[in-house]
Amino acid sequence: MSQQPDPAAEQPELLPGMVRATARDARRQAARSRQRTAAQAPLADRAPVAQVLVDVPLAHLDRPFDYAVPASMADDASPGVRVKVRFAGQDVDGYVVARAERSDHPGALAPLLRVVSAEPVLSTAVAELTAAVAARYAGTRSDVLRLAVPPRHATTEKEPSPPAPRPEVDLGAAADAWADHTHGPAFVRALGAGGAPRAVWSAPPTADWAALLAQAAAATHHSGRGALLCVPDGKDVARLDAALTALLGPGHHVALTAESGPSARYRDFLAVSRGARRVVVGTRAAAFAPVSDLGLVVVWDDGDDLHAEPRAPYPHTREVLLLRAEQEGAAAIVGGFARTVEAAYLLESGWARELSVDRRVIRERVQVGVTGASDHDLARDVHSRNSRMPHQVHTTIRAGLEIGPVLVQTPRSGYAAALACERCRTPARCRSCRGPLRLTGVATAPACRWCGVEEPAWACGECGHRGLRAPVVGDSRTAEELGRSFPGVPVQASSGDHVVVRVGTEPRIVVATPGAEPVAEGGFAAVVLLDTWLALSREDLRSAEEALRRWMNAVALLRPGGRAVAVGDPHHPALQALVRWDPAGFAARESAERVSAHLPPASRIASITGDPGAVDDALTLLSLPEPAEVLGPVAVGGDGEVRAVIRVPRAAGARLSAALGELQRARSSRKLDAVRVQVDPASM
């Protein structure tokens, strides 16, 4: 009898593939064996059906599915725990959202494969919130759950969460801290009595906003309820964390940020989920923190784009917290030095009341001016409206340095982000790829911002001139110029990856980009705002609103009696609002203009972005509510994508979200080309 040849012996290169195939077959056989064993296992006597949200990012499968609960898992498979289930031929993760006595499914139910952990990490309130957020933003609950529940850390889960000591809160001191605000003491007393007041807070300049919010959280905690405070970035979290520690003492609250690391963040999350901590401060992901008996939600500086989640379904922290306040009957504060049009709409609709200080108090605290605003300024310096740093700027800096540190805000980082011909003002371009040239330092050659090729011998293609000028100057170049103008004075830059958090009282100049301004001990003696035209020239619906927000955040860092000066057009409404410190009036003006133009918040909008064919298919499938307008599609970017904008009256916003959700489910079931759907995008 002839022996059959061994393929692996004749072709050794096939051996790894054969081993992998054998391993796959073994895993499949083991999975089938586990399923048969689980299917034959007895079921739980009570509530033998588990409703499970499976972690599948397909819109048409975005609903709970029923599974049988084996008797061995009856105690552990409680609502909120993580489980493994068999779904579409694969083992997938999921969350038990409810237990039931029977199922509407006519056939036999597949059993739960295993309970990953008996730790409930998805509370009923957060589960309802994820459903509301998914519906509001036409997304899937699986995407929202990834934002709401951090990844499991098994070792951390075994550690206990010791309860916080009972806080000692002085409600009288908390009310006194808000005494200079109209309705402030009454608001704090209502929090301490278990009420649910809602407010839009316009913080005055020089105010210690973190200390005031800590007092509001302490009053809520005194009533036996929890508080959730969301701020834009880690720098603000650290400031609010310090204020809460100083007021309540250590061990009463947690700070939830991505920078904490997976173990520390999961430990803090569990402390909140188990009820050991009831005061939470964090960035946008903390908006879903499972705070038990939630009594207060706070969003600080809601106009900051860091509050807009960059991942689907792109929820905004403000909207998530307002949904929580409605669902859980909690108090709410939407606060900031500036005011967004959305916050103004909350006041106009009567949903919230205003917390603010008298204008006389503001005038006593700071003085704000614009260069070249008066005939006297123009007589002293005829170039005060054209120069980047006119004489008035140097005078303000020099006077401020006599008593303390000075902050100079410039909107661009780097050295010289753009270059142009010194003679004819033609933008300087790379000869290789036609990209813009820039300078990264005083001793470096011009280099392309796109391909990185240096152009040491650059010459203008229009006039042949070799001289360059920088129409847009960054913080490094600004610091260099100020160092020459004020010799012997320390000049410090704060931007990008090198953010200075705090400075002392000694005289120095701090050049910072928006959002990177440090806090000075006792406050800055003076603040200078450069290149205001650049902040106002952004092609965005919110350019003026965002510019005013950045300026007010910088001016608010002044010490009482400090002075700020802005370089720009004194007739621009945003700069006039800054001089008057009138965020309410500016927001009302912006809101009125948007109402006349049928723009948010008076209207609700959504955008559909993708390849032209995919967007056209989406618009064909979309069943729009009446009345709805479709604007576009128009080309966006340089990669061939197009965007269509859909606009409806605010009253039809829920119907628009529902229609977009149906569109997502239809496209998912038909496996059509993907499009990006954003409801009320932060930037347009």
Side-chain angles (χ1 to χ4, degrees):
M1 173 181 275
S2 61
Q3 188 175 3
Q4 295 292 330
D6 185 0
E10 295 183 359
Q11 301 181 17
E13 66 274 8
L14 297 179
L15 184 59
M18 296 174 64
V19 171
R20 287 194 294 270
T22 303
R24 283 195 299 270
D25 292 340
R27 285 196 296 269
R28 293 193 189 100
Q29 185 175 357
R32 286 193 292 268
S33 177
R34 286 195 301 268
Q35 292 175 42
R36 285 194 299 269
T37 303
Q40 297 168 1
L43 300 182
D45 294 332
R46 298 180 57 187
V49 177
Q51 296 175 355
V52 179
L53 272 175
V54 293
D55 187 10
V56 177
L58 298 174
H60 67 289
L61 300 176
D62 186 35
R63 64 184 185 277
F65 289 87
D66 291 346
Y67 285 85
V69 181
S72 60
M73 306 179 194
D75 295 333
D76 291 340
S78 58
V81 303
R82 293 180 168 100
V83 292
K84 279 281 188 182
V85 296
R86 193 71 177 173
F87 189 86
Q90 295 181 333
D91 294 352
V92 299
D93 296 316
Y95 296 93
V96 176
V97 292
R99 292 277 294 272
E101 293 294 335
R102 61 183 60 86
S103 171
D104 295 333
H105 181 67
L109 297 179
L112 300 176
L113 294 183
R114 65 185 178 94
V115 176
V116 176
S117 169
E119 182 76 43
V121 293
L122 182 63
S123 67
T124 302
V126 174
E128 294 175 355
L129 176 66
T130 59
V133 171
R136 165 74 169 78
Y137 288 95
T140 62
R141 292 183 72 176
S142 60
D143 284 338
V144 181
L145 284 169
R146 291 191 189 98
L147 305 176
V149 183
R152 180 174 180 247
H153 197 274
T155 304
T156 303
E157 202 170 76
K158 299 175 183 177
E159 302 173 2
S161 299
R166 183 169 181 81
E168 297 181 3
V169 178
D170 186 347
L171 284 179
D176 291 342
W178 287 80
D180 56 352
H181 289 73
T182 305
H183 309 303
F187 184 87
V188 174
R189 284 193 292 267
L191 292 176
R198 300 162 179 169
V200 171
W201 176 34
S202 295
T206 76
D208 189 348
W209 60 268
L212 291 173
L213 290 180
Q215 293 284 6
T220 307
H221 196 24
H222 176 78
S223 70
R225 299 175 299 164
L228 174 57
L229 304 92
C230 291
V231 294
D233 55 30
K235 183 161 62 75
D236 292 328
V237 169
R239 188 172 176 182
L240 190 51
D241 180 33
L244 286 167
T245 302
L247 183 62
L248 298 176
H252 288 89
H253 72 281
V254 297
L256 297 179
T257 62
E259 291 78 12
S260 303
S263 175
R265 187 177 179 215
Y266 194 56
R267 182 181 298 108
D268 291 337
F269 173 85
L270 291 177
V272 178
S273 178
R274 294 166 179 172
R277 300 292 182 275
R278 306 183 76 175
V279 178
V280 177
V281 57
T283 50
R284 60 176 179 261
F288 296 93
V291 181
S292 58
D293 195 10
L294 185 63
L296 173 67
V297 296
V298 176
V299 55
W300 170 255
D301 198 11
D302 64 304
D304 196 312
D305 56 8
L306 291 176
H307 281 303
E309 175 60 52
R311 295 171 293 179
Y314 318 105
H316 193 283
T317 303
R318 177 188 57 246
E319 304 305 319
V320 174
L321 292 180
L322 295 184
L323 281 172
R324 291 199 74 169
E326 285 285 350
Q327 289 187 346
E328 302 186 46
I333 298 177
V334 179
F337 292 111
R339 181 178 295 179
T340 60
V341 291
E342 287 80 8
Y345 184 83
L346 294 177
L347 295 174
E348 294 171 9
S349 64
W351 191 89
R353 300 291 297 273
E354 183 176 12
L355 288 177
S356 60
V357 302
D358 188 81
R359 191 176 299 277
R360 176 181 53 81
V361 177
I362 295 175
R363 286 197 296 265
E364 293 174 353
R365 291 191 177 187
V366 297
Q367 294 180 347
V368 184
V370 181
T371 57
S374 66
D375 293 338
H376 176 70
D377 294 336
L378 289 173
R380 294 188 61 188
D381 184 2
V382 295
H383 300 293
S384 58
R385 292 188 181 178
N386 302 319
S387 173
R388 182 170 185 263
M389 281 193 267
H391 175 74
Q392 196 171 345
V393 166
H394 289 81
T395 302
T396 302
I397 293 176
R398 189 173 294 108
L401 289 173
E402 294 179 358
I403 55 176
V406 174
L407 173 65
V408 178
Q409 186 195 74
T410 180
R412 285 289 180 89
S413 61
Y415 192 79
L419 299 172
C421 175
E422 188 178 36
R423 177 183 295 169
C424 68
R425 304 298 194 261
T426 300
R429 294 284 179 178
C430 172
R431 288 180 293 181
S432 300
C433 69
R434 304 302 299 166
L437 297 184
R438 66 174 179 178
L439 283 175
T440 57
V442 64
T444 60
C448 179
R449 208 161 58 199
W450 292 355
C451 67
V453 173
E454 293 188 351
E455 295 278 0
W458 177 87
C460 178
E462 296 293 328
C463 66
H465 189 66
R466 293 185 177 275
L468 287 167
R469 66 185 299 269
V472 179
V473 175
D475 65 311
S476 300
R477 175 68 177 272
T478 302
E480 179 185 295
E481 293 176 358
L482 290 172
R484 289 197 297 263
S485 300
F486 298 92
V489 177
V491 180
Q492 197 169 8
S494 178
S495 66
D497 296 331
H498 305 283
V499 176
V500 179
V501 177
R502 186 173 291 272
V503 296
T505 59
E506 63 277 2
R508 69 173 64 210
I509 299 174
V510 180
V511 181
T513 52
E517 303 93 344
V519 176
E521 185 178 345
F524 285 99
V527 170
V528 175
L529 307 174
L530 297 178
D531 301 329
T532 59
W533 64 270
L534 191 57
L536 293 168
S537 63
R538 292 195 319 152
E539 294 183 359
D540 191 270
L541 177 63
R542 299 179 182 270
S543 59
E545 178 186 317
E546 173 66 9
L548 181 61
R549 185 192 70 82
R550 294 179 176 186
W551 301 336
M552 284 189 160
N553 285 352
V555 175
L557 297 173
L558 281 169
R559 63 180 60 179
R563 177 170 175 76
V565 61
V567 182
D569 179 7
H571 303 295
H572 196 283
L575 283 170
Q576 290 180 351
L578 176 67
V579 172
R580 298 191 308 270
W581 198 268
D582 186 20
F586 184 82
R589 173 195 175 105
E590 286 283 301
S591 181
E593 291 181 353
R594 295 192 189 184
V595 168
S596 63
H598 304 290
L599 293 172
S603 301
R604 291 278 299 278
I605 62 173
S607 65
I608 302 177
T609 309
D611 293 333
V615 172
D616 186 63
D617 290 343
L619 293 175
T620 302
L621 290 172
L622 183 60
S623 179
L624 288 172
E626 292 292 340
E629 298 177 82
V630 178
L631 311 177
V634 296
V636 292
D639 52 2
E641 287 191 334
V642 299
R643 179 177 64 198
V645 175
I646 303 159
R647 179 170 62 187
V648 299
R650 188 175 182 87
R655 285 182 286 149
L656 174 61
S657 294
L660 290 169
E662 287 296 330
L663 169 67
Q664 296 280 59
R665 287 184 281 275
R667 295 183 59 79
S668 174
S669 63
R670 300 182 187 186
K671 299 181 180 180
L672 301 178
D673 292 338
V675 293
R676 185 167 61 256
V677 175
Q678 289 184 266
V679 178
D680 291 337
S683 178
M684 180 64 69

